[in-house]
Amino acid sequence: DTAVSQTPKYLVTQMGNDKSIKCEQNLGHDTMYWYKQDSKKFLKIMFSYNNKELIINETVPNRFSPKSPDKAHLNLHINSLELGDSAVYFCASRTTGNTGELFFGEGSRLTVL
Amino acid sequence: GENVEQHPSTLSVQEGDSAVIKCTYSDSASNYFPWYKQELGKRPQLIIDIRSNVGEKKDQRIAVTLNKTAKHFSLHITETQPEDSAVYFCAASPRAAGNKLTFGGGTRVLVKP
């Protein structure tokens, strides 16, 4: 019974294409995140939503557009993909407040050719 | 915003020895400090956390210490085993930052049998 699930797990695409990654959590959490992990393993926050409302946007290019249709889902759409977008994207969720455990999805490995 | 520095970036130890990873943070409002372990190809998972009202916490072979005055915290793994080989991330979370969790750069730990 997966707590945070994201699809697809792997994405290989050409530069200039548009792609989406979907995320769902069944933990009843109010807050969801997207993190980007590059080849050097840095985990960098991109976005955070609390009850469908954007609360953190970490100067991510506007080619990246998150969408939260409800508090259990947070999707990430990327337009005009660039080589530098290649990374593993992790969805995560947490209860409201800053002291709860962050639960990660399995990650989506995006490769832009 | 919060900035978390983590050292060393790689650590090689003999099985049975201890491993120590150190982190510093910049935001004095941070009050929650978790540690995550990421095995190869897997998602990061919480292994231990500490809150700012506690100076030390232990869970079997893992312990964390926190020095609020100096703004640094450490992870100690005793009697290391090959399954401890992974990337470890420290993180810090300020009280009023929209539930943001900022990660350190990670430490790749290799336990040699």
Side-chain angles (χ1 to χ4, degrees), chain A residues 39-41, chain B residues 6 8-12 21 40 86-88 106-110:
Chain A
S39 56
K40 292 185 179 171
K41 298 298 183 187
Chain B
Q6 182 172 347
S9 56
T10 59
L11 181 58
S12 183
I21 304 170
L40 190 62
V87 179
Y88 292 80
T107 298
R108 191 179 299 272
V109 173
L110 176 63

Side-chain angles (χ1 to χ4, degrees), chain B residues 28-103:
Chain B
S28 55
S30 286
N31 66 337
Y32 176 65
F33 306 92
W35 287 86
Y36 283 77
K37 176 183 180 183
Q38 186 178 25
E39 295 176 357
L40 190 62
K42 302 269 180 79
R43 73 189 86 191
Q45 290 190 284
L46 180 73
I47 53 171
I48 195 165
D49 57 17
I50 190 166
R51 286 161 173 74
S52 60
N53 58 347
V54 174
E56 186 172 350
K57 184 176 177 181
K58 196 172 179 183
D59 182 4
Q60 298 181 345
R61 297 186 296 107
I62 293 173
V64 290
T65 57
L66 171 65
N67 182 328
K68 279 170 53 180
T69 307
K71 293 204 209 110
H72 64 70
F73 55 115
S74 302
L75 176 73
H76 304 251
I77 308 173
T78 57
E79 299 168 29
T80 53
Q81 298 167 7
E83 53 264 37
D84 295 329
S85 296
V87 179
Y88 292 80
F89 293 94
C90 63
S93 187
R95 276 188 205 90
N99 293 338
K100 184 176 173 181
L101 192 61
T102 300
F103 285 88

Side-chain angles (χ1 to χ4, degrees), chain A residues 33 35 37 98-99 102 104, chain B residues 31 36 38 51 99 101:
Chain A
Y33 306 80
Y35 278 86
Q37 186 170 48
N98 74 319
T99 59
L102 190 64
F104 285 90
Chain B
N31 66 337
Y36 283 77
Q38 186 178 25
R51 286 161 173 74
N99 293 338
L101 192 61

